[in-house]
Amino acid sequence: MLPAELTDPMEEPLVQVQNLKTFYPIKGGLLNRRVGDLKAVNDVSLEIGRSRTFGLVGESGCGKSTFGRSILRLQPVTSGRVI
């Protein structure tokens, strides 16, 4: 780690995601109880610098949109942190 006076402020993280999880409940049975979880985003961590471009790619249905909505706090997260 470099001293603060030697680091470039443009390289500081703009977004930090730590161990983000977003699960949807699976309900079933006679009383419509929770029987499991659909793990849409499971333990994702990343850091995006201020001067960086970031692309998120993946197959259809792999959780890209849920991840984006979770970062923007449009979707409640199960656990993890977005800074």
Side-chain angles (χ1 to χ4, degrees):
M1 193 90 189
L2 294 173
E5 63 272 1
L6 296 179
T7 59
D8 183 0
M10 291 304 288
E11 290 299 319
E12 292 179 9
L14 178 64
V15 175
Q16 291 179 337
V17 179
Q18 300 171 346
N19 306 103
L20 187 73
K21 295 181 182 183
T22 304
F23 297 170
Y24 294 107
I26 299 172
K27 296 184 178 184
L30 184 61
L31 300 174
N32 201 29
R33 293 183 182 170
R34 186 179 193 153
V35 295
D37 291 311
L38 173 67
K39 297 177 180 179
V41 177
N42 192 13
D43 200 29
V44 176
S45 298
L46 61 86
E47 186 175 284
I48 303 172
R50 292 185 183 279
S51 61
R52 301 293 180 204
T53 301
F54 183 81
L56 183 62
V57 296
E59 296 180 14
S60 177
C62 71
K64 299 178 304 288
S65 295
T66 300
F67 181 68
R69 286 193 304 265
S70 298
I71 290 174
L72 295 173
R73 301 175 198 265
L74 298 174
Q75 175 71 42
V77 299
T78 304
S79 66
R81 294 177 17 150
V82 178
I83 303 168

